[in-house]
Amino acid sequence: MLQSDITQYAHALFVAHGDKAEAEAAQKARNAQNTAESRKWDQIRLHIKELRGARQT
């Protein structure tokens, strides 16, 4: 999967699920059938984390 595809998918998942998107991607990474798929979901999760930005205290 290309980096641009990961970025677009992460953005769409974040728009659809909000703050739960990162947990959704983490769950998919844990349930992945192989390491390539797991890495893809980890990259998506990290990009979602960047989209969320720093948490306010």
Side-chain angles (χ1 to χ4, degrees):
M1 182 175 257
L2 298 173
Q3 186 62 36
S4 61
D5 293 338
I6 288 172
T7 301
Q8 288 176 347
Y9 197 86
H11 186 266
L13 195 61
F14 182 68
V15 168
H17 295 278
D19 288 337
K20 294 180 182 179
E22 191 175 347
E24 176 86 17
Q27 181 68 35
K28 289 187 182 287
R30 281 192 298 275
N31 293 338
Q33 298 298 316
N34 57 55
T35 53
E37 185 179 355
S38 179
R39 274 188 253 134
K40 174 187 78 172
W41 282 107
D42 281 335
Q43 289 177 330
I44 291 169
R45 183 186 56 80
L46 290 173
H47 192 72
I48 291 168
K49 187 175 183 177
E50 289 175 10
L51 288 172
R52 276 190 340 173
R55 292 185 184 235
Q56 299 283 327
T57 57

